[in-house]
Protein backbone atom coordinates (compact mmCIF):
# COMPACT_ATOMS: atom_id res chain seq x y z
CA UNK A 1 0.00 0.00 0.00
CA UNK A 2 1.59 3.25 -1.06
CA UNK A 3 0.25 5.96 1.18
CA UNK A 4 2.13 9.19 1.26
CA UNK A 5 1.40 11.49 4.14
CA UNK A 6 -0.04 14.15 1.87
CA UNK A 7 -2.53 11.73 0.34
CA UNK A 8 -3.80 10.03 3.45
CA UNK A 9 -7.12 11.02 4.91
CA UNK A 10 -6.55 11.50 8.62
CA UNK A 11 -8.52 11.58 11.86
CA UNK A 12 -5.94 13.01 14.29
CA UNK A 13 -2.29 13.95 14.04
CA UNK A 14 0.32 13.95 16.79
CA UNK A 15 4.04 14.53 16.48
CA UNK A 16 6.98 12.79 18.21
CA UNK A 17 10.73 12.85 17.67
CA UNK A 18 10.67 9.06 17.35
CA UNK A 19 8.12 6.30 16.90
CA UNK A 20 8.97 2.75 17.95
CA UNK A 21 6.89 0.05 16.28
CA UNK A 22 6.54 -3.02 18.51
CA UNK A 23 6.79 -3.46 22.28
CA UNK A 24 9.01 -6.56 22.12
CA UNK A 25 12.40 -6.58 23.83
CA UNK A 26 14.20 -4.54 21.16
CA UNK A 27 11.42 -1.95 20.84
CA UNK A 28 11.23 -1.41 24.61
CA UNK A 29 15.02 -1.07 24.89
CA UNK A 30 15.22 1.37 21.96
CA UNK A 31 12.41 3.49 23.42
CA UNK A 32 14.19 3.69 26.80
CA UNK A 33 17.45 4.85 25.21
CA UNK A 34 15.72 7.45 23.01
CA UNK A 35 13.72 8.80 25.95
CA UNK A 36 16.85 8.90 28.12
CA UNK A 37 18.38 11.14 25.45
CA UNK A 38 15.49 13.56 25.91
CA UNK A 39 13.50 12.64 22.83
CA UNK A 40 9.73 12.45 22.72
CA UNK A 41 8.88 8.82 21.93
CA UNK A 42 5.79 6.71 21.54
CA UNK A 43 5.63 2.92 21.29
CA UNK A 44 2.95 1.34 19.12
CA UNK A 45 2.01 -2.27 19.82
CA UNK A 46 -0.68 -4.26 18.03
CA UNK A 47 -1.13 -6.74 20.87
CA UNK A 48 -2.72 -6.03 24.27
CA UNK A 49 0.50 -6.71 26.22
CA UNK A 50 4.24 -6.17 25.78
CA UNK A 51 6.96 -8.76 25.13
CA UNK A 52 6.39 -9.78 21.50
CA UNK A 53 7.98 -13.17 20.84
CA UNK A 54 8.91 -13.29 24.50
CA UNK A 55 5.63 -12.65 26.17
CA UNK A 56 3.32 -14.39 28.62
CA UNK A 57 -0.29 -15.39 29.13
CA UNK A 58 -2.58 -16.88 31.71
CA UNK A 59 -4.66 -20.05 31.59
CA UNK A 60 -6.87 -20.25 34.66
CA UNK A 61 -4.62 -19.96 37.71
CA UNK A 62 -1.47 -20.71 35.70
CA UNK A 63 0.93 -18.07 34.43
CA UNK A 64 2.78 -19.18 31.31
CA UNK A 65 5.71 -17.73 29.42
CA UNK A 66 5.58 -17.82 25.62
CA UNK A 67 9.16 -17.58 24.50
CA UNK A 68 11.36 -18.01 27.51
CA UNK A 69 13.29 -21.24 27.85
CA UNK A 70 16.37 -19.56 29.21
CA UNK A 71 18.13 -16.26 28.91
CA UNK A 72 21.57 -16.52 27.40
CA UNK A 73 24.67 -14.49 28.40
CA UNK A 74 24.80 -15.32 32.10
CA UNK A 75 27.18 -13.18 34.13
CA UNK A 76 27.96 -12.97 37.82
CA UNK A 77 27.27 -9.67 39.52
CA UNK A 78 30.09 -7.19 38.92
CA UNK A 79 31.69 -9.00 35.95
CA UNK A 80 33.04 -6.49 33.43
CA UNK A 81 32.75 -6.34 29.63
CA UNK A 82 29.76 -8.68 29.30
CA UNK A 83 26.72 -8.04 27.06
CA UNK A 84 24.32 -8.26 30.01
CA UNK A 85 26.40 -5.71 31.92
CA UNK A 86 26.20 -3.36 28.94
CA UNK A 87 22.40 -3.69 28.84
CA UNK A 88 22.05 -2.97 32.55
CA UNK A 89 24.31 0.06 32.29
CA UNK A 90 22.63 1.48 29.21
CA UNK A 91 19.11 1.01 30.56
CA UNK A 92 20.08 2.02 34.12
CA UNK A 93 18.91 -1.24 35.64
CA UNK A 94 20.50 -3.09 38.54
CA UNK A 95 21.73 -6.68 38.35
CA UNK A 96 19.80 -7.63 41.49
CA UNK A 97 16.50 -6.52 39.93
CA UNK A 98 16.64 -9.42 37.46
CA UNK A 99 16.84 -12.02 40.28
CA UNK A 100 18.83 -14.32 38.03
CA UNK A 101 19.32 -18.00 38.60
CA UNK A 102 21.98 -19.87 36.58
CA UNK A 103 21.27 -23.17 34.86
CA UNK A 104 22.37 -26.47 36.37
CA UNK A 105 23.66 -28.05 33.15
CA UNK A 106 22.43 -28.81 29.66
CA UNK A 107 22.88 -31.64 27.20
CA UNK A 108 23.34 -32.16 23.48
CA UNK A 109 21.71 -35.55 22.96
CA UNK A 110 22.55 -37.42 19.71
CA UNK A 111 21.86 -41.12 18.98
CA UNK A 112 25.28 -42.43 20.03
CA UNK A 113 26.93 -39.43 21.67
CA UNK A 114 26.09 -36.90 24.32
CA UNK A 115 27.85 -33.71 25.32
CA UNK A 116 27.15 -31.90 28.55
CA UNK A 117 27.74 -28.19 29.12
CA UNK A 118 27.15 -25.70 31.90
CA UNK A 119 27.98 -22.05 32.50
CA UNK A 120 31.61 -23.10 33.00
CA UNK A 121 33.27 -23.85 29.66
CA UNK A 122 35.61 -26.31 31.41
CA UNK A 123 32.71 -28.79 31.62
CA UNK A 124 32.24 -28.85 27.85
CA UNK A 125 36.02 -28.96 27.34
CA UNK A 126 36.29 -31.98 29.63
CA UNK A 127 33.37 -33.74 27.94
CA UNK A 128 34.89 -33.17 24.49
CA UNK A 129 38.27 -34.42 25.70
CA UNK A 130 36.59 -37.60 26.88
CA UNK A 131 34.13 -38.19 24.02
CA UNK A 132 36.21 -36.85 21.12
CA UNK A 133 39.82 -37.17 22.44
CA UNK A 134 41.41 -36.41 19.07
CA UNK A 135 39.51 -33.08 18.92
CA UNK A 136 40.69 -31.75 22.30
CA UNK A 137 43.23 -29.37 20.78
CA UNK A 138 40.93 -28.47 17.90
CA UNK A 139 38.36 -27.28 20.43
CA UNK A 140 41.02 -25.17 22.13
CA UNK A 141 41.79 -23.64 18.72
CA UNK A 142 38.08 -22.93 18.29
CA UNK A 143 38.02 -21.13 21.64
CA UNK A 144 40.96 -19.02 20.50
CA UNK A 145 39.29 -18.30 17.15
CA UNK A 146 36.07 -17.21 18.89
CA UNK A 147 38.01 -15.04 21.31
CA UNK A 148 39.70 -13.12 18.46
CA UNK A 149 36.67 -12.76 16.19
CA UNK A 150 34.99 -9.34 15.97
CA UNK A 151 31.38 -10.47 15.81
CA UNK A 152 29.92 -7.01 16.39
CA UNK A 153 31.34 -5.53 13.17
CA UNK A 154 28.28 -3.94 11.54
CA UNK A 155 29.81 -4.35 8.06
CA UNK A 156 30.23 -8.09 8.38
CA UNK A 157 29.14 -10.10 5.29
CA UNK A 158 27.62 -13.60 5.48
CA UNK A 159 30.20 -16.41 5.81
CA UNK A 160 28.87 -19.99 6.12
CA UNK A 161 30.00 -21.09 9.58
CA UNK A 162 30.07 -24.88 9.11
CA UNK A 163 32.30 -24.63 6.03
CA UNK A 164 34.70 -22.25 7.75
CA UNK A 165 34.80 -24.10 11.07
CA UNK A 166 35.31 -27.54 9.51
CA UNK A 167 38.95 -26.44 9.13
CA UNK A 168 39.18 -26.14 12.92
CA UNK A 169 36.84 -28.87 14.20
CA UNK A 170 37.71 -31.68 11.81
CA UNK A 171 35.29 -34.26 13.21
CA UNK A 172 31.96 -33.56 11.39
CA UNK A 173 29.92 -35.15 14.18
CA UNK A 174 31.43 -32.92 16.86
CA UNK A 175 30.94 -29.82 14.70
CA UNK A 176 27.33 -30.81 14.04
CA UNK A 177 26.73 -31.41 17.76
CA UNK A 178 28.28 -28.08 18.74
CA UNK A 179 26.21 -26.24 16.16
CA UNK A 180 22.87 -27.82 17.16
CA UNK A 181 22.01 -25.55 20.13
CA UNK A 182 23.35 -22.50 18.29
CA UNK A 183 21.21 -23.16 15.21
CA UNK A 184 18.10 -23.90 17.26
CA UNK A 185 18.52 -20.78 19.37
CA UNK A 186 19.45 -18.31 16.72
CA UNK A 187 19.78 -19.11 13.04
CA UNK A 188 17.36 -17.80 10.44
CA UNK A 189 19.24 -19.79 7.78
CA UNK A 190 18.32 -23.39 7.11
CA UNK A 191 21.08 -25.90 7.92
CA UNK A 192 23.62 -23.11 8.11
CA UNK A 193 24.60 -20.17 10.17
CA UNK A 194 26.47 -16.98 9.58
CA UNK A 195 29.95 -17.12 11.11
CA UNK A 196 29.47 -13.90 13.10
CA UNK A 197 26.15 -15.23 14.40
CA UNK A 198 27.92 -18.50 15.31
CA UNK A 199 30.44 -16.55 17.40
CA UNK A 200 27.70 -14.47 19.06
CA UNK A 201 25.74 -17.61 19.93
CA UNK A 202 28.86 -19.58 20.96
CA UNK A 203 29.79 -16.87 23.46
CA UNK A 204 26.18 -16.44 24.62
CA UNK A 205 25.53 -20.15 25.21
CA UNK A 206 28.84 -21.94 25.80
CA UNK A 207 31.09 -19.23 27.25
CA UNK A 208 28.50 -17.30 29.29
CA UNK A 209 25.57 -19.68 29.55
CA UNK A 210 21.92 -19.95 30.54
CA UNK A 211 19.99 -18.25 33.34
CA UNK A 212 16.40 -17.55 34.29
CA UNK A 213 14.93 -14.54 36.04
CA UNK A 214 12.77 -15.38 39.05
CA UNK A 215 9.15 -15.10 37.91
CA UNK A 216 10.10 -15.73 34.26
CA UNK A 217 9.87 -13.24 31.43
CA UNK A 218 7.35 -11.03 33.29
CA UNK A 219 10.16 -9.89 35.57
CA UNK A 220 12.18 -8.46 32.67
CA UNK A 221 9.17 -6.99 30.89
CA UNK A 222 7.95 -5.30 34.08
CA UNK A 223 11.38 -3.74 34.67
CA UNK A 224 11.41 -2.34 31.15
CA UNK A 225 7.84 -1.05 31.44
CA UNK A 226 8.60 0.61 34.80
CA UNK A 227 11.66 2.24 33.26
CA UNK A 228 9.63 3.59 30.33
CA UNK A 229 6.96 4.81 32.72
CA UNK A 230 9.56 6.69 34.77
CA UNK A 231 10.71 8.37 31.55
CA UNK A 232 7.15 9.37 30.67
CA UNK A 233 6.90 7.14 27.57
CA UNK A 234 3.47 5.83 26.73
CA UNK A 235 2.92 2.47 25.08
CA UNK A 236 -0.22 2.33 22.98
CA UNK A 237 -1.53 -1.22 23.03
CA UNK A 238 -3.98 -2.64 20.49
CA UNK A 239 -2.50 -0.07 18.11
CA UNK A 240 -1.58 -1.62 14.79
CA UNK A 241 0.44 0.29 12.24
CA UNK A 242 -1.06 -0.21 8.79
CA UNK A 243 1.40 1.92 6.82
CA UNK A 244 4.68 3.75 7.24
CA UNK A 245 4.27 7.16 5.64
CA UNK A 246 6.92 8.91 3.60
CA UNK A 247 7.47 12.06 1.69
CA UNK A 248 9.89 11.58 -1.19
CA UNK A 249 12.63 9.41 0.35
CA UNK A 250 12.16 10.12 4.07
CA UNK A 251 9.72 8.81 6.66
CA UNK A 252 7.10 11.22 7.93
CA UNK A 253 5.09 9.05 10.29
CA UNK A 254 2.68 6.14 10.49
CA UNK A 255 -0.92 5.49 9.61
CA UNK A 256 -2.68 3.41 12.24
CA UNK A 257 -5.41 0.88 11.62
CA UNK A 258 -7.73 3.35 13.35
CA UNK A 259 -6.88 5.75 10.47
CA UNK A 260 -5.14 8.11 12.90
CA UNK A 261 -1.75 9.45 11.84
CA UNK A 262 1.27 9.93 14.08
CA UNK A 263 4.12 12.01 12.72
CA UNK A 264 7.83 11.55 13.45
CA UNK A 265 11.19 12.14 11.80
CA UNK A 266 12.53 8.75 12.80
CA UNK A 267 10.88 5.37 13.08
CA UNK A 268 12.40 2.32 14.74
CA UNK A 269 10.67 -0.83 13.57
CA UNK A 270 11.08 -4.09 15.45
CA UNK A 271 8.49 -6.01 13.45
CA UNK A 272 10.91 -7.51 10.90
CA UNK A 273 12.52 -6.30 7.69
CA UNK A 274 10.08 -7.75 5.16
CA UNK A 275 7.15 -6.68 7.35
CA UNK A 276 8.56 -3.12 7.56
CA UNK A 277 9.30 -3.01 3.82
CA UNK A 278 5.70 -3.97 3.11
CA UNK A 279 4.32 -1.30 5.45
CA UNK A 280 6.54 1.37 3.88
CA UNK A 281 5.79 0.20 0.33
CA UNK A 282 9.49 -0.31 -0.37
CA UNK A 283 11.02 -2.76 -2.85
CA UNK A 284 11.17 -6.11 -1.00
CA UNK A 285 14.89 -6.80 -0.46
CA UNK A 286 14.46 -9.32 2.40
CA UNK A 287 13.55 -12.96 1.87
CA UNK A 288 10.87 -14.45 4.12
CA UNK A 289 12.12 -16.71 6.92
CA UNK A 290 11.39 -20.43 6.65
CA UNK A 291 11.89 -21.52 10.24
CA UNK A 292 8.99 -21.77 12.60
CA UNK A 293 8.23 -23.92 15.61
CA UNK A 294 5.51 -25.70 17.56
CA UNK A 295 5.83 -25.86 21.30
CA UNK A 296 3.96 -27.90 23.90
CA UNK A 297 4.01 -26.96 27.55
CA UNK A 298 3.24 -29.69 30.10
CA UNK A 299 2.59 -29.11 33.79
CA UNK A 300 2.91 -31.95 36.29
CA UNK A 301 2.37 -32.42 40.00
CA UNK A 302 5.85 -33.95 40.23
CA UNK A 303 9.13 -32.30 39.37
CA UNK A 304 11.19 -33.98 36.60
CA UNK A 305 14.30 -33.84 38.81
CA UNK A 306 12.55 -36.13 41.35
CA UNK A 307 12.94 -38.87 38.72
CA UNK A 308 16.52 -37.99 37.85
CA UNK A 309 15.80 -35.59 34.96
CA UNK A 310 17.96 -32.75 36.22
CA UNK A 311 19.25 -31.14 33.00
CA UNK A 312 18.10 -27.58 32.30
CA UNK A 313 17.82 -27.87 28.50
CA UNK A 314 18.28 -30.92 26.30
CA UNK A 315 19.00 -30.38 22.60
CA UNK A 316 17.67 -33.65 21.27
CA UNK A 317 18.39 -35.16 17.85
CA UNK A 318 17.73 -38.77 16.86
CA UNK A 319 19.25 -38.67 13.37
CA UNK A 320 22.96 -39.27 12.57
CA UNK A 321 23.06 -35.60 11.47
CA UNK A 322 20.87 -32.82 12.89
CA UNK A 323 18.58 -31.34 10.22
CA UNK A 324 17.76 -27.70 10.74
CA UNK A 325 15.27 -26.93 8.04
CA UNK A 326 11.60 -26.51 7.36
CA UNK A 327 10.22 -30.07 7.42
CA UNK A 328 8.10 -31.62 4.65
CA UNK A 329 5.56 -32.54 7.34
CA UNK A 330 3.66 -30.37 9.85
CA UNK A 331 6.49 -30.72 12.36
CA UNK A 332 9.69 -32.71 12.76
CA UNK A 333 9.91 -34.77 15.95
CA UNK A 334 13.37 -36.11 15.05
CA UNK A 335 14.84 -33.16 16.91
CA UNK A 336 13.61 -31.02 19.78
CA UNK A 337 14.50 -28.48 22.41
CA UNK A 338 13.39 -29.93 25.74
CA UNK A 339 13.36 -27.32 28.46
CA UNK A 340 12.97 -28.03 32.18
CA UNK A 341 12.26 -24.61 33.78
CA UNK A 342 12.47 -26.13 37.28
CA UNK A 343 16.11 -27.09 36.71
CA UNK A 344 17.78 -23.75 37.34
CA UNK A 345 19.66 -23.24 40.60
CA UNK A 346 16.54 -21.64 42.14
CA UNK A 347 13.29 -23.37 41.32
CA UNK A 348 10.46 -20.87 41.83
CA UNK A 349 7.80 -22.84 39.94
CA UNK A 350 4.76 -24.08 41.86
CA UNK A 351 4.52 -27.15 39.54
CA UNK A 352 6.80 -29.37 37.46
CA UNK A 353 7.05 -28.06 33.88
CA UNK A 354 8.50 -29.39 30.62
CA UNK A 355 8.44 -27.45 27.33
CA UNK A 356 9.08 -29.30 24.07
CA UNK A 357 9.77 -27.40 20.86
CA UNK A 358 9.83 -28.95 17.36
CA UNK A 359 10.72 -27.30 14.04
CA UNK A 360 7.48 -26.82 12.06
CA UNK A 361 6.21 -26.06 8.56
CA UNK A 362 4.10 -22.87 8.57
CA UNK A 363 2.67 -23.43 5.08
CA UNK A 364 1.19 -26.80 6.02
CA UNK A 365 -0.26 -25.46 9.29
CA UNK A 366 -1.82 -22.51 7.47
CA UNK A 367 -3.83 -24.81 5.19
CA UNK A 368 -5.50 -26.88 7.93
CA UNK A 369 -9.22 -26.73 8.59
CA UNK A 370 -10.23 -25.96 12.18
CA UNK A 371 -10.78 -29.64 12.96
CA UNK A 372 -7.52 -30.77 11.34
CA UNK A 373 -5.71 -28.00 13.20
CA UNK A 374 -6.96 -29.31 16.54
CA UNK A 375 -6.04 -32.88 15.55
CA UNK A 376 -2.58 -31.72 14.49
CA UNK A 377 -2.05 -30.07 17.88
CA UNK A 378 -2.97 -33.41 19.47
CA UNK A 379 -0.34 -35.14 17.27
CA UNK A 380 2.25 -32.61 18.45
CA UNK A 381 1.34 -33.35 22.05
CA UNK A 382 1.69 -37.13 21.55
CA UNK A 383 5.07 -36.67 19.83
CA UNK A 384 6.21 -34.39 22.64
CA UNK A 385 5.26 -37.01 25.26
CA UNK A 386 7.24 -39.59 23.25
CA UNK A 387 10.25 -37.26 23.28
CA UNK A 388 10.01 -36.92 27.06
CA UNK A 389 10.15 -40.73 27.27
CA UNK A 390 13.38 -40.66 25.25
CA UNK A 391 15.18 -38.01 27.25
CA UNK A 392 13.72 -38.66 30.73
CA UNK A 393 12.81 -42.38 30.73
CA UNK A 394 12.20 -42.53 34.49
CA UNK A 395 9.78 -39.63 34.53
CA UNK A 396 6.35 -41.18 34.04
CA UNK A 397 4.07 -38.51 35.54
CA UNK A 398 0.79 -37.68 33.81
CA UNK A 399 0.38 -34.03 32.75
CA UNK A 400 -2.21 -32.04 34.70
CA UNK A 401 -2.16 -29.23 32.13
CA UNK A 402 -1.09 -29.04 28.47
CA UNK A 403 -1.00 -26.22 25.97
CA UNK A 404 0.41 -26.15 22.43
CA UNK A 405 1.21 -23.17 20.26
CA UNK A 406 1.89 -23.37 16.54
CA UNK A 407 3.34 -21.21 13.73
CA UNK A 408 -0.16 -19.74 13.36
CA UNK A 409 -0.15 -18.62 17.00
CA UNK A 410 3.25 -16.99 16.53
CA UNK A 411 2.13 -15.14 13.41
CA UNK A 412 -1.15 -14.05 14.99
CA UNK A 413 0.38 -12.62 18.16
CA UNK A 414 3.64 -11.19 16.83
CA UNK A 415 2.94 -10.34 13.19
CA UNK A 416 6.03 -12.25 11.97
CA UNK A 417 5.22 -13.42 8.43
CA UNK A 418 5.17 -17.21 8.27
CA UNK A 419 5.57 -17.44 12.05
CA UNK A 420 9.31 -17.03 11.35
CA UNK A 421 10.70 -16.76 14.87
CA UNK A 422 14.19 -15.73 13.72
CA UNK A 423 12.90 -13.55 10.90
CA UNK A 424 14.43 -13.24 7.47
CA UNK A 425 17.73 -14.94 6.55
CA UNK A 426 18.79 -11.47 5.38
CA UNK A 427 20.01 -9.35 8.26
CA UNK A 428 20.67 -5.61 8.12
CA UNK A 429 23.32 -5.19 10.74
CA UNK A 430 23.59 -1.39 10.60
CA UNK A 431 19.79 -1.14 11.01
CA UNK A 432 19.28 1.04 7.94
CA UNK A 433 16.60 0.51 5.31
CA UNK A 434 16.07 1.90 1.81
CA UNK A 435 14.03 4.68 3.41
CA UNK A 436 15.84 7.46 5.25
CA UNK A 437 14.67 7.74 8.85
CA UNK A 438 13.36 4.15 9.01
CA UNK A 439 15.56 1.83 11.10
CA UNK A 440 15.31 -1.84 12.01
CA UNK A 441 15.81 -3.11 15.54
CA UNK A 442 15.69 -6.65 16.88
CA UNK A 443 15.18 -9.83 14.95
CA UNK A 444 16.11 -8.62 11.46
CA UNK A 445 18.83 -6.25 12.54
CA UNK A 446 20.41 -9.56 13.42
CA UNK A 447 20.72 -9.80 17.19
CA UNK A 448 18.38 -12.52 18.45
CA UNK A 449 17.09 -13.84 21.74
CA UNK A 450 16.21 -11.75 24.77
CA UNK A 451 19.68 -10.37 25.42
CA UNK A 452 20.43 -9.99 21.71
CA UNK A 453 17.25 -8.07 20.96
CA UNK A 454 17.71 -5.80 23.99
CA UNK A 455 21.23 -5.06 22.77
CA UNK A 456 19.93 -4.47 19.28
CA UNK A 457 17.38 -1.89 20.46
CA UNK A 458 20.06 -0.12 22.48
CA UNK A 459 22.69 -0.13 19.71
CA UNK A 460 20.38 1.06 16.95
CA UNK A 461 18.90 3.84 19.12
CA UNK A 462 22.43 4.91 20.08
CA UNK A 463 23.72 4.75 16.51
CA UNK A 464 20.89 6.42 14.62
CA UNK A 465 18.88 8.23 17.25
CA UNK A 466 21.35 9.68 19.67
CA UNK A 467 24.91 9.99 18.45
CA UNK A 468 23.99 11.80 15.21
CA UNK A 469 21.47 14.17 16.76
C1 LIG B 1 8.95 -20.40 21.14
C2 LIG B 1 10.05 -19.40 21.35
C3 LIG B 1 11.06 -19.67 22.26
C4 LIG B 1 12.07 -18.74 22.48
N1 LIG B 1 12.99 -19.01 23.44
C5 LIG B 1 13.89 -18.08 23.75
C6 LIG B 1 14.74 -18.28 24.86
O1 LIG B 1 14.63 -19.27 25.57
N2 LIG B 1 15.69 -17.34 25.13
C7 LIG B 1 15.82 -16.23 24.37
O2 LIG B 1 16.69 -15.41 24.68
N3 LIG B 1 15.02 -16.01 23.30
C8 LIG B 1 14.05 -16.90 22.99
N4 LIG B 1 13.22 -16.69 21.93
C9 LIG B 1 13.55 -15.61 20.97
C10 LIG B 1 13.21 -14.25 21.46
O3 LIG B 1 11.90 -14.31 21.98
C11 LIG B 1 13.25 -13.23 20.31
O4 LIG B 1 14.46 -13.34 19.59
C12 LIG B 1 13.10 -11.79 20.80
O5 LIG B 1 12.11 -11.71 21.78
C13 LIG B 1 12.76 -10.89 19.61
O6 LIG B 1 12.46 -9.58 20.05
P1 LIG B 1 12.21 -8.43 19.00
O7 LIG B 1 12.03 -7.18 19.77
O8 LIG B 1 13.24 -8.44 17.95
O9 LIG B 1 10.88 -8.78 18.20
P2 LIG B 1 9.42 -9.19 18.64
O10 LIG B 1 9.41 -9.82 19.95
O11 LIG B 1 8.86 -9.95 17.49
O12 LIG B 1 8.63 -7.79 18.76
C14 LIG B 1 7.93 -7.20 17.70
C15 LIG B 1 6.65 -6.57 18.24
O13 LIG B 1 6.04 -5.83 17.19
C16 LIG B 1 4.62 -5.99 17.29
N5 LIG B 1 4.06 -5.70 15.94
C17 LIG B 1 4.20 -6.44 14.83
N6 LIG B 1 3.58 -5.84 13.79
C18 LIG B 1 3.05 -4.68 14.26
C19 LIG B 1 2.30 -3.62 13.67
N7 LIG B 1 1.98 -3.60 12.36
N8 LIG B 1 1.92 -2.58 14.45
C20 LIG B 1 2.24 -2.56 15.80
N9 LIG B 1 2.94 -3.55 16.39
C21 LIG B 1 3.36 -4.59 15.65
C22 LIG B 1 4.46 -7.43 17.71
O14 LIG B 1 3.18 -7.66 18.28
C23 LIG B 1 5.61 -7.59 18.71
O15 LIG B 1 5.20 -7.27 20.02
C24 LIG B 1 12.14 -17.55 21.71
C25 LIG B 1 11.13 -17.28 20.80
C26 LIG B 1 10.07 -18.17 20.64
C27 LIG B 1 8.95 -17.81 19.71
Amino acid sequence: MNISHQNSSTNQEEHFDSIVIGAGMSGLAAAIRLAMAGQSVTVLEQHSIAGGLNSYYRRGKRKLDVGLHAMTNFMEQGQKGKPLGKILKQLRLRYGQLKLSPQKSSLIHFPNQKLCFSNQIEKLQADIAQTFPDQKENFEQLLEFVDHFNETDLNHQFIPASQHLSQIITDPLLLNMLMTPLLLYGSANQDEMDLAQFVIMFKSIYLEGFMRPEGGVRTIIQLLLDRLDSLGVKIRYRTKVQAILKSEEHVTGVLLQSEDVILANKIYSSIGSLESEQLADLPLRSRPGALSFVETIFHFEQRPSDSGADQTIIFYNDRPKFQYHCPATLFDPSSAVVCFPNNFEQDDGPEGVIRITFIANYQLWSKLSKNDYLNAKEQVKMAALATIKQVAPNFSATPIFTDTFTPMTIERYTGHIGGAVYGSPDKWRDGTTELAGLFLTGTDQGFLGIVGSLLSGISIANLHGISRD
Side-chain angles (χ1 to χ4, degrees):
M1 188 174 12
N2 189 1
I3 304 174
S4 76
H5 174 218
Q6 288 85 343
N7 295 339
S8 61
S9 68
T10 62
N11 290 345
Q12 280 177 30
E13 284 187 2
E14 287 176 87
H15 190 275
F16 290 86
D17 295 327
S18 298
I19 291 172
V20 174
I21 310 179
M25 296 291 164
S26 68
L28 295 175
I32 292 174
R33 284 301 297 164
L34 294 165
M36 282 171 68
Q39 297 194 17
S40 60
V41 186
T42 189
V43 183
L44 310 175
E45 169 56 51
Q46 62 168 8
H47 193 21
S48 54
I49 51 171
L53 283 166
N54 249 138
S55 196
Y56 56 88
Y57 61 105
R58 193 179 256 281
R59 284 277 181 281
K61 62 176 174 125
R62 292 187 177 83
K63 294 172 168 181
L64 294 110
D65 283 344
V66 181
L68 182 77
H69 293 167
M71 268 173 88
T72 56
N73 301 87
F74 176 73
M75 71 167 213
E76 299 283 357
Q77 183 156 20
Q79 268 187 297
K80 299 274 180 246
K82 299 287 179 195
L84 182 63
K86 182 177 174 190
I87 290 172
L88 296 172
K89 190 169 170 206
Q90 291 274 315
L91 302 183
R92 307 281 189 277
L93 297 172
R94 283 176 285 110
Y95 182 88
Q97 291 178 296
L98 290 171
K99 301 180 201 155
L100 295 173
S101 178
Q103 69 162 328
K104 289 183 174 169
S105 65
S106 292
L107 192 70
I108 306 166
H109 183 302
F110 269 47
N112 300 312
Q113 298 289 18
K114 292 185 182 54
L115 282 177
C116 192
F117 65 95
S118 69
N119 292 0
Q120 281 74 42
I121 187 66
E122 294 76 17
K123 181 152 182 81
L124 180 58
Q125 266 177 308
D127 237 29
I128 289 175
Q130 200 180 2
T131 319
F132 295 90
D134 62 324
Q135 294 291 307
K136 185 172 177 278
E137 280 168 21
N138 305 55
F139 188 64
E140 273 155 28
Q141 279 171 34
L142 178 63
L143 291 177
E144 228 166 276
F145 170 81
V146 164
D147 191 41
H148 289 100
F149 192 92
N150 178 12
E151 72 278 13
T152 54
D153 178 5
L154 294 182
N155 298 315
H156 170 83
Q157 300 294 316
F158 184 90
I159 300 171
S162 57
Q163 211 174 311
H164 193 91
L165 296 170
S166 61
Q167 292 158 31
I168 304 175
I169 301 291
T170 52
D171 185 320
L173 175 61
L174 174 59
L175 183 55
N176 191 231
M177 288 182 82
L178 287 172
M179 285 189 71
T180 295
L182 314 190
L183 288 163
L184 280 164
Y185 269 175
S187 179
N189 288 280
Q190 302 193 71
D191 286 322
E192 191 46 281
M193 178 162 214
D194 175 36
L195 188 59
Q197 181 67 2
F198 172 91
V199 173
I200 291 173
M201 299 303 295
F202 190 98
K203 289 183 175 174
S204 311
I205 293 179
Y206 295 134
L207 294 183
E208 293 168 13
F210 293 135
M211 59 193 163
R212 185 175 187 278
E214 189 184 308
V217 76
R218 285 172 177 77
T219 303
I220 309 168
I221 293 173
Q222 197 53 53
L223 283 172
L224 299 170
L225 295 182
D226 289 349
R227 194 75 192 90
L228 278 176
D229 197 42
S230 72
L231 291 159
V233 178
K234 192 172 150 206
I235 303 181
R236 297 165 200 229
Y237 294 107
R238 296 192 185 87
T239 302
K240 185 168 179 163
V241 174
Q242 66 160 304
I244 293 170
L245 307 177
K246 56 194 178 191
S247 163
E248 303 193 346
E249 293 311 312
H250 202 287
V251 290
T252 55
V254 294
L255 173 67
L256 305 180
Q257 214 167 38
S258 63
E259 300 291 325
D260 287 341
V261 165
I262 304 180
L263 303 176
N265 291 334
K266 291 188 180 175
I267 297 179
Y268 299 84
S269 172
S270 65
I271 68 176
S273 51
L274 186 58
E275 293 81 350
S276 304
E277 286 158 9
Q278 285 183 350
L279 288 191
D281 196 27
L282 294 171
L284 304 181
R285 61 176 185 166
S286 306
R287 291 167 291 165
L291 290 154
S292 195
F293 297 91
V294 284
E295 180 165 298
T296 304
I297 305 160
F298 296 105
H299 281 232
F300 304 91
E301 272 166 5
Q302 298 85 341
R303 268 143 220 277
S305 57
D306 297 342
S307 308
D310 54 6
Q311 302 287 347
T312 306
I313 299 179
I314 299 179
F315 297 91
Y316 171 79
N317 165 54
D318 75 4
R319 289 201 170 105
K321 187 168 189 252
F322 169 55
Q323 298 191 351
Y324 184 67
H325 53 237
C326 178
T329 47
L330 283 168
F331 65 98
D332 178 5
S334 75
S335 67
V337 181
V338 187
C339 171
F340 299 87
N342 304 100
N343 292 343
F344 289 82
E345 288 298 337
Q346 306 295 324
D347 175 8
D348 64 331
E351 293 172 334
V353 180
I354 304 182
R355 312 173 70 106
I356 314 264
T357 316
F358 298 127
I359 306 169
N361 181 322
Y362 166 85
Q363 292 298 338
L364 295 179
W365 281 92
S366 69
K367 291 186 185 122
L368 295 177
S369 67
K370 193 170 178 198
N371 235 353
D372 289 347
Y373 181 78
L374 293 175
N375 288 337
K377 279 175 73 164
E378 199 54 29
Q379 281 174 40
V380 172
K381 180 181 149 188
M382 299 317 288
L385 286 169
T387 304
I388 294 177
K389 284 243 162 325
Q390 292 295 320
V391 299
N394 300 326
F395 185 64
S396 55
T398 307
I400 51 171
F401 168 84
T402 308
D403 200 19
T404 298
F405 64 82
T406 74
M408 309 313 297
T409 328
I410 296 171
E411 187 179 60
R412 181 162 163 226
Y413 286 103
T414 69
H416 283 283
I417 295 170
V421 169
Y422 300 132
S424 167
D426 303 307
K427 301 300 179 196
W428 308 97
R429 298 289 289 264
D430 66 0
T432 57
T433 66
E434 303 279 288
L435 182 60
L438 174 64
F439 306 105
L440 298 174
T441 67
T443 308
D444 282 341
Q445 184 267 328
F447 293 167
L448 297 162
I450 299 171
V451 169
S453 45
L454 288 170
L455 270 179
S456 168
I458 291 169
S459 321
I460 295 303
N462 286 353
L463 183 64
H464 300 292
I466 300 170
S467 57
R468 292 185 187 180
D469 284 350

